[in-house]
Amino acid sequence: MVQIFRAFAIIAVVLIHTTPGAYWQVFFRPFINFAVATFLFLSGYLTKIDNDNWGAFYKKRIIRILIPYVIWTVVYTIIFLDLSHLHKKLLTANASFHMYYLAVYIQFVLLTPIIGKLAKSKYMHLGWLVAPISIIVFNYYRLLSGQELNPTVSLIWSDAFLGWFTFYYLGLILGNRMIEKNYSLKMLTILYLTSIVLQMGEGYGWLMLGGSDCGSQLKLSTLLTSSLFLLIIYTILRKGNIDIQNKYLRMIGDYSFGIYLCHVMVLFVIMPLFPFSRSFPFLITAVVVLLLSLCLCYLGHRVLGEKVSRWLGLI
């Protein structure tokens, strides 16, 4: 089931990056804003905080990300014709707008022992404050004051783990059985759908205040919606009474990392090669981008083999 949820997450990522602006961001994005939250939650859920060899943990997790990060940073720097700033792109994870996730993930890997100690301490509840306080300080201040963040502060915020903390933290806590509760799937679903309405309301407010990023995954309402979605995932995984056996979804989940890395290239380099692609409805564009990205990863894996495919992040 984990790979199925990864499939849902990467489908949502592609949809996020093809969804039009303005009211589409307000009314459609709330249904797919669980994307990055799900990846981070599953990573935390599958991580053990009682570890006698953190060095091996770091080596395995960071090399898994770092080599593809360097390769794809170079690829996107070439694609966007900015080679003179390659060193800056490598340091700031902004060769493309989606590369921030790799920087965020590496931060969580490095901080896992500390986050684990916090989760096991009597101050566990303080962890739930990190993301909402950060979102208020960095996003709401900017929106309500009408002042843009200092470029350096803005760069730090865009690459920082702070706004995403709740999702990894929740995964660690639930995956390590530090909190064990039986949740009603029906009640969680009702609360989730209700929170989507709240997210639409907040997104509309952001739009009225001139916030072009009104569909952002880092809003307080989105924090609530995504957390409820993750509790639904946890409940399904824990009870094990739902098992989606779909080989195509499983394949998408297996190649989700590769799809994440290459789909922006497909969107901006390969899609324009198709006649009339600019006139495609965005849902069609999303499907085509997803399938082309999947094909690239699958064929690359078949041709290059396991080892090289891992270096490239195709699997």
Side-chain angles (χ1 to χ4, degrees), residues 48-291:
K48 301 302 178 187
I49 57 175
D50 293 321
N51 193 329
D52 296 327
N53 192 346
W54 286 110
F57 171 79
Y58 287 146
K59 182 179 179 180
K60 179 181 178 181
R61 292 283 184 98
I62 292 179
I63 290 178
R64 172 83 173 97
I65 294 294
L66 197 58
I67 294 176
Y69 169 77
V70 172
I71 291 171
W72 284 95
T73 294
V74 172
V75 168
Y76 282 111
T77 303
I78 293 171
I79 287 173
F80 295 122
L81 304 176
D82 200 14
L83 273 173
S84 62
H85 295 99
L86 176 59
H87 62 292
K88 292 182 180 178
K89 304 296 184 184
L90 286 167
L91 291 173
T92 58
N94 67 348
S96 176
F97 56 81
H98 69 308
M99 295 294 284
Y100 75 90
Y101 171 77
L102 280 72
V104 168
Y105 177 81
I106 289 174
Q107 290 168 64
F108 277 124
V109 170
L110 292 172
L111 292 170
T112 295
I114 298 172
I115 298 173
K117 287 181 179 180
L118 173 63
K120 292 193 292 185
S121 75
K122 63 180 179 180
Y123 303 107
M124 174 198 280
H125 63 281
L126 294 178
W128 305 119
L129 301 178
V130 174
I133 289 175
S134 301
I135 289 171
I136 289 170
V137 169
F138 289 100
N139 268 353
Y140 286 76
Y141 170 77
R142 171 180 58 82
L143 184 70
L144 296 175
S145 68
Q147 298 180 7
E148 290 299 320
L149 297 174
N150 174 278
T152 303
V153 174
S154 179
L155 176 62
I156 292 171
W157 169 240
S158 65
D159 285 345
F161 68 92
L162 295 169
W164 306 100
F165 190 86
T166 294
F167 311 128
Y168 189 78
Y169 192 57
L170 182 62
L172 273 180
I173 286 174
L174 295 179
N176 287 274
R177 306 218 177 242
M178 305 178 74
I179 295 177
E180 292 195 64
K181 289 187 178 181
N182 291 318
Y183 297 101
S184 164
L185 203 54
K186 180 179 179 181
M187 181 56 66
L188 285 174
T189 303
I190 292 171
L191 291 173
Y192 171 67
L193 294 174
T194 302
S195 72
I196 283 178
V197 177
L198 293 175
Q199 196 181 151
M200 289 177 179
E202 185 180 6
Y204 182 77
W206 277 45
L207 184 63
M208 292 300 99
L209 289 171
S212 59
D213 55 345
C214 56
S216 171
Q217 295 177 75
L218 294 180
K219 303 193 298 290
L220 292 181
S221 60
T222 311
L223 198 62
L224 173 62
T225 302
S226 295
S227 296
L228 288 167
F229 184 82
L230 300 178
L231 289 177
I232 291 173
I233 289 178
Y234 165 71
T235 302
I236 292 172
L237 290 174
R238 190 167 186 265
K239 291 184 176 180
N241 56 354
I242 297 177
D243 188 17
I244 302 174
Q245 295 292 339
N246 186 297
K247 65 179 181 180
Y248 300 110
L249 278 176
R250 189 170 295 279
M251 180 183 289
I252 291 171
D254 290 341
Y255 289 103
S256 58
F257 186 38
I259 294 170
Y260 186 89
L261 288 170
C262 77
H263 79 278
V264 173
M265 178 184 70
V266 172
L267 182 61
F268 288 104
V269 177
I270 298 178
M271 284 297 290
L273 300 177
F274 287 84
F276 312 115
S277 64
R278 292 183 182 277
S279 62
F280 288 171
F282 81 93
L283 288 174
I284 299 299
T285 298
V287 170
V288 175
V289 168
L290 178 69
L291 293 178

